[in-house]
Structure formats: C-alpha cells, structure tokens
Amino acid sequence: MKIDKLKLVCFSPTGTTKTVIQGIARGINHTSHEIIDITSPLSRQTMLNTSANDLLVVGVPVYMGRVPAITGEWLSRISANSTPTVCVVVYGNRVFDDALLELTNILTKQGCKTFAGAAFIGEHSFSSTVTPIAESRPDSMDFYHAEQFGKRISEKLQMASSPNSIAGIDVPGNYPYGGVTQLWSIDFIGVNSECNQCGICAEVCPANAIDSANSRIIDKEKCITCCACIKKCPRGARFIKDSPVKEAAARLNRLYSERKEPIVFI
C-alpha cells in the first residue's frame, strides 16, 4: 500500500525516545515525514488526526512499567481512521513490563491499525556518572537495529493492499496492567551554586513543575521524575540528592548492568 505521509509522535523529556524513532524513520526511508513532539505541555494542547494513508510511529518512555500517565489524555484523543501504526517503548535496561501492550491498546482503541511494535533501550533517567544505567544508549548498535526495524516496517507495508489487510501483532504484557501510574512525590533534586537562574530547566520540564522565576522551587506533585532538568542544565547545577531516587539509581546500577537488546514484533 502507498503511504502519503510518515508521522512520528514522541514524548521524550531527555531525548532518547526521539532519537530511537528517528532511527526507525531512517530505515522506513519515506520522502515526507513530520515529527510531532508532545513533550512540552503546550504541544499537548494540539490534537492529532490521521488517515488510512498515513503511517504513524508512536514512541514513549517506560515509567515504572507503564506508559507515562502525563501522555495518556493526549494519546486517548488521537483520531485515527485505520491508520497503520507502529508502537515503540523505550526503557532504561530494567524491564518494559506492560507498557508496550498498554500503548498498543490505547492506540488501537483510537482507530489505529497496530501492525508492528518494539521495545528499545535508552539511558535511564536516573543514570549519572556515579551510577550509570544503560549509559549512552541508544548507541550505534541500537540505531542499526532501529533502521533494520524500519526497513521491515516498509517491507510489510509494501506487501499489503490496504490497512485492513495488514497482519496485526501480539505483544507481551498483562491486563489489568501491572506497574504504577502514580509516580513518587518526593524532594530529590538538588541545586548547587552554579545555578544562574537561566530558566532552561523550567523550559524543558514536561510537567510545568519548576518555577520559572526561581528554579529551586519544584512542585513535587507535578514532577514526573524524568530528570530532564538535570540532564539539560548547561551548567551542571542540578543533581539527584540523597533520596529514594538516589537509592533507586544505585539499585538499578547494581542489578541491571547486563546489556539488554532491542526486541521487535512485526
């Protein structure tokens, strides 16, 4: 079947999920594509409509085994008309639990025709130089797998006459879903004297949890522990201080150091 436009949707506070779906797009190698980054609160105010002639690739990170709750409302308002869809989750080398199944079910309910899925690895949001967790991933091998997956997506579409003729997929997971959607509400971000109140942390926060006038003020109820403000601070002024998050980072570093590889379903 002929695809008019490739649409890449991502929620990617630290950038890893976005780079993965861009790698997949290189393998698909379509002449026209659009990136719809729903990381910022403002971007999630615009809804998405897709047709049977589009190809939709949706990528989200895994938060405690689930699709990030902050994306749920936006994803559940996609209006699709038998749109061929690829579901991608990116996790920090622990497990992806039920996230891929959850994402597939959400999009299928919105009218998407999910025919491919994948779980890739990205550097964990809690990773640091002291406790690295899937450090520097996705790496060159991950991008190779992403591009090969993209080529297989393109081949599967070429063999289909219409969206309804594309074979679906079975992905692992359980329903009711495990994991948790209620994230920690804790004080875990430290700010040192290097902070000059440039405001970048407030700009990159996907939850509007940081006071734009005083970046030391963080709304714990809004914070989703994505650590984008830490990783994108140009002065390295923000860090994970002594807290359950720091303890979790040490535990993940210790228990999940063995490299895991991407898994695809097509």
Side-chain angles (χ1 to χ4, degrees), residues 144-190:
Y144 170 78
H145 287 301
E147 291 181 22
Q148 292 302 307
F149 180 48
K151 291 177 181 178
R152 292 179 64 188
I153 290 167
S154 185
E155 290 166 0
K156 188 170 183 178
L157 285 172
Q158 288 171 11
M159 292 187 293
S161 58
S162 69
N164 290 330
S165 70
I166 307 173
I169 53 168
D170 291 320
V171 299
N174 298 295
Y175 184 83
Y177 309 122
V180 295
T181 56
Q182 183 63 46
L183 301 179
W184 285 332
S185 174
I186 53 176
D187 178 16
F188 77 98
I189 297 175

Side-chain angles (χ1 to χ4, degrees), residues 120-160:
F120 277 80
I121 295 83
E123 181 167 339
H124 200 286
S125 57
F126 296 173
S127 177
S128 68
T129 54
V130 178
T131 53
I133 312 159
E135 187 177 21
S136 299
R137 297 190 69 185
D139 58 19
S140 59
M141 281 304 299
D142 294 313
F143 289 127
Y144 170 78
H145 287 301
E147 291 181 22
Q148 292 302 307
F149 180 48
K151 291 177 181 178
R152 292 179 64 188
I153 290 167
S154 185
E155 290 166 0
K156 188 170 183 178
L157 285 172
Q158 288 171 11
M159 292 187 293

Side-chain angles (χ1 to χ4, degrees), residues 23-241:
I24 295 169
R26 287 194 293 273
I28 295 170
N29 194 28
H30 194 273
T31 55
S32 173
H33 76 267
E34 175 186 4
I35 297 178
I36 303 162
D37 189 332
I38 62 167
T39 305
S40 73
L42 183 61
S43 67
R44 295 193 296 275
Q45 293 180 14
T46 303
M47 293 300 100
L48 175 65
N49 297 308
T50 61
S51 75
N53 295 319
D54 293 326
L55 170 57
L56 184 62
V57 179
V58 180
V60 299
V62 177
Y63 284 3
M64 294 190 177
R66 298 288 299 275
V67 171
I70 197 171
T71 68
E73 181 181 357
W74 190 90
L75 292 170
S76 296
R77 286 192 287 167
I78 289 175
S79 178
N81 180 21
S82 297
T83 306
T85 301
V86 180
C87 299
V88 180
V89 296
V90 178
Y91 70 107
N93 206 57
R94 187 182 71 89
V95 288
F96 60 93
D97 287 325
D98 301 328
L100 184 57
L101 176 64
E102 183 180 13
L103 181 61
T104 301
N105 288 345
I106 290 171
L107 296 176
T108 299
K109 187 176 180 180
Q110 298 314 117
C112 295
K113 178 69 175 179
T114 54
F115 72 97
F120 277 80
I121 295 83
E123 181 167 339
H124 200 286
S125 57
F126 296 173
S127 177
S128 68
T129 54
V130 178
T131 53
I133 312 159
E135 187 177 21
S136 299
R137 297 190 69 185
D139 58 19
S140 59
M141 281 304 299
D142 294 313
F143 289 127
Y144 170 78
H145 287 301
E147 291 181 22
Q148 292 302 307
F149 180 48
K151 291 177 181 178
R152 292 179 64 188
I153 290 167
S154 185
E155 290 166 0
K156 188 170 183 178
L157 285 172
Q158 288 171 11
M159 292 187 293
S161 58
S162 69
N164 290 330
S165 70
I166 307 173
I169 53 168
D170 291 320
V171 299
N174 298 295
Y175 184 83
Y177 309 122
V180 295
T181 56
Q182 183 63 46
L183 301 179
W184 285 332
S185 174
I186 53 176
D187 178 16
F188 77 98
I189 297 175
V191 183
N192 64 31
S193 59
E194 288 297 311
C195 176
N196 64 355
Q197 297 295 331
C198 69
I200 289 176
C201 55
E203 291 176 9
V204 302
C205 177
N208 275 339
I210 301 173
D211 190 310
S212 58
N214 183 353
S215 62
R216 294 175 183 271
I217 299 175
I218 303 165
D219 188 330
K220 294 183 294 182
E221 300 303 318
K222 290 183 177 180
C223 177
I224 60 171
T225 62
C226 69
C227 299
C229 63
I230 293 174
K231 295 183 180 295
K232 294 185 177 182
C233 175
R235 299 176 67 87
R238 301 174 79 85
F239 60 95
I240 297 175
K241 64 184 180 182

